[in-house]
């Protein structure tokens, strides 16, 4: 039985990290422009923001609550900029430079708040992890409960194999797994002979801090395609970016999903900029 977890930013937030979009943006505004969102006057301060993406985000801040919202707005910004300006070539170049700055700023911010490499987690999370495995659909409505139980019965196996696809850039899940003393343990439910096997190898489908950090849109319909050349589009459209980075994250994640009997989604907004994965 193959059971796969898709983990999003909600996992990091639940672990106590300030990885929400608004945490990051407050940090950028304060660090780079000395702007406090609670006290700021939009019209007075917008001209002080030299990064056109940060400036457009600032003007649209009431529309952006999550990372998925931010990614969607990136596409909206390209369409707005294309209509408002004649010098498309120069503006698209500026947009990509500022987009790279955003990625660098995000990478630096997350690197500073994630669990540092020299930090040793003393707590053993084995029991927590495997209780989660045993009870992964605890509390769902009765119909879903019955359907999932039927899947488990119909696909009887002596092993339940668990894998994780993380959409986060941080090392949180890796650190939690490293703190576990066991890689497998007997299933304690109903004294059955099943065992749970948890694969410690995580597929970080959008890259990790310092390596292939991926942010952007799902496809060409979500941005002004004729605003950019092909190489820029490959950087802005996530499925293309993943396909081109030669690290096989997209391929491995797709294969894992294809071979899964049950998929558990936790802490994800299921936004339109990840439409590729929801269709998959």
């Amino acid at each position: 039985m193959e059971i796969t977890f898709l983990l999003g930013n909600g996992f990091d937030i639940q672990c106590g990290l300030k990885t929400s979009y608004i945490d990051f943006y407050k940090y950028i505004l304060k660090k780079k422009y000395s702007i406090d969102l609670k006290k700021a006057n939009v019209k007075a301060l917008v001209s002080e923001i030299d990064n056109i993406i940060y400036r457009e985000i600032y003007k649209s801040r009431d529309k952006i609550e999550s990372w998925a919202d931010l990614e969607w707005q990136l596409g909206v910004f390209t369409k707005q900029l294309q209509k408002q300006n004649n010098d498309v070539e120069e503006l698209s170049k500026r947009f990509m430079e500022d987009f790279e700055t955003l990625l660098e700023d995000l990478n630096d911010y997350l690197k500073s708040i994630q669990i540092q490499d020299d930090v040793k987690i003393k707590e053993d999370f084995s029991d927590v992890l495997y209780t989660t495995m045993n009870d992964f659909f605890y509390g769902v409505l009765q119909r879903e409960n019955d359907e999932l139980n039927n899947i488990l019965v119909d696909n009887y196996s002596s092993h339940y194999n668990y894998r994780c696809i993380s959409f986060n850039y941080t090392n949180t899940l890796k650190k939690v797994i490293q703190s576990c003393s066991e890689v497998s343990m007997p299933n304690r439910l109903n004294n059955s002979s099943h065992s749970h096997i948890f694969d410690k190898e995580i597929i970080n489908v959008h890259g990790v801090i310092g390596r292939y950090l991926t942010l952007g849109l799902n496809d060409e319909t979500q941005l002004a395609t004729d605003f950019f050349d092909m190489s820029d589009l490959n950087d802005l459209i996530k499925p293309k970016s993943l396909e081109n980075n030669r690290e096989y994250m997209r391929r491995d994640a797709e294969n894992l999903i294809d071979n899964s009997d049950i998929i558990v989604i936790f802490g994800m907004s299921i936004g339109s900029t990840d439409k590729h994965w929801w269709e998959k």
Side-chain angles (χ1 to χ4, degrees):
M1 171 66 67
E2 303 296 326
I3 302 172
T4 300
F5 282 74
L6 273 58
L7 299 177
N9 190 44
F11 177 80
D12 274 354
I13 292 174
Q14 190 179 56
C15 290
L17 272 65
K18 292 187 175 182
T19 55
S20 71
Y21 158 73
I22 197 65
D23 285 326
F24 166 69
Y25 194 53
K26 284 180 178 178
Y27 164 82
I28 288 299
L29 287 178
K30 187 173 182 179
K31 179 182 178 182
K32 290 199 164 189
Y33 308 108
S34 300
I35 295 176
D36 187 332
L37 271 179
K38 294 181 180 179
K39 303 176 182 178
N41 181 301
V42 176
K43 292 183 179 179
L45 294 174
V46 69
S47 61
E48 298 180 16
I49 302 176
D50 55 352
N51 182 304
I52 59 175
I53 294 178
Y54 288 153
R55 185 167 66 235
E56 293 299 319
I57 290 172
Y58 185 58
K59 290 191 291 186
S60 306
R61 65 190 189 280
D62 292 337
K63 301 177 183 177
I64 303 175
E65 297 181 356
S66 68
W67 288 110
D69 293 337
L70 169 63
E71 291 179 316
W72 177 259
Q73 285 299 124
L74 288 175
V76 172
F77 298 156
T78 66
K79 296 176 182 180
Q80 291 174 345
L81 291 170
Q82 185 184 40
K83 289 180 180 179
Q84 295 169 5
N85 295 270
N86 294 322
D87 193 352
V88 172
E89 184 177 349
E90 181 62 29
L91 197 61
S92 63
K93 179 181 177 182
R94 170 85 181 278
F95 185 94
M96 291 307 300
E97 290 173 351
D98 289 348
F99 178 69
E100 286 299 318
T101 298
L102 187 156
L103 292 179
E104 291 170 3
D105 289 341
L106 176 58
N107 187 86
D108 292 344
Y109 173 71
L110 294 177
K111 186 177 180 180
S112 70
I113 67 169
Q114 75 169 353
I115 303 170
Q116 301 304 304
D117 291 337
D118 59 348
V119 173
K120 303 299 181 183
I121 299 178
K122 296 181 180 180
E123 183 177 356
D124 185 346
F125 285 107
S126 298
D127 286 342
V128 175
L129 180 63
Y130 290 105
T131 297
T132 300
M133 299 302 102
N134 280 335
D135 301 332
F136 70 87
F137 62 97
Y138 175 80
V140 301
L141 297 175
Q142 188 61 51
R143 179 177 175 180
E144 282 73 28
N145 183 82
D146 292 342
E147 289 176 353
L148 286 165
N149 269 313
N150 289 336
I151 291 173
L152 295 173
V153 171
D154 292 342
N155 293 273
Y156 177 82
S157 172
S158 60
H159 295 90
Y160 291 142
N161 299 314
Y162 297 90
R163 294 289 308 276
C164 285
I165 299 174
S166 175
F167 285 74
N168 298 331
Y169 312 116
T170 60
N171 62 359
T172 316
L173 181 59
K174 179 181 178 181
K175 283 286 189 179
V176 168
I177 293 174
Q178 286 177 344
S179 76
C180 297
S181 60
E182 306 165 57
V183 295
S184 66
M185 65 179 294
N187 182 2
R188 294 171 293 195
L189 293 182
N190 303 321
N191 295 317
S192 73
S193 60
H194 293 178
S195 64
H196 289 181
I197 307 299
F198 190 91
D199 192 329
K200 289 189 174 185
E201 294 298 320
I202 306 162
I203 298 177
N204 293 96
V205 74
H206 283 164
V208 295
I209 294 170
R211 188 173 179 82
Y212 298 121
L213 193 150
T214 306
L215 188 77
L217 289 305
N218 183 77
D219 55 61
E220 289 87 345
T221 66
Q222 296 180 352
L223 76 167
T225 52
D226 52 352
F227 192 59
F228 302 102
D229 60 30
M230 186 54 67
S231 62
D232 291 338
L233 287 175
N234 287 341
D235 290 336
L236 289 167
I237 297 175
K238 289 189 288 186
K240 289 186 176 181
S241 178
L242 292 172
E243 189 174 5
N244 292 333
N245 69 21
R246 302 185 183 183
E247 285 293 315
Y248 301 123
M249 288 103 75
R250 173 178 168 174
R251 181 203 66 182
D252 293 347
E254 288 177 346
N255 289 341
L256 186 56
I257 290 172
D258 285 341
N259 293 316
S260 297
D261 298 296
I262 295 174
I263 295 173
V264 184
I265 301 174
F266 181 84
M268 301 192 71
S269 60
I270 314 186
S272 57
T273 55
D274 281 318
K275 182 181 177 182
H276 171 82
W277 296 107
W278 312 135
E279 289 179 340
K280 191 67 179 174

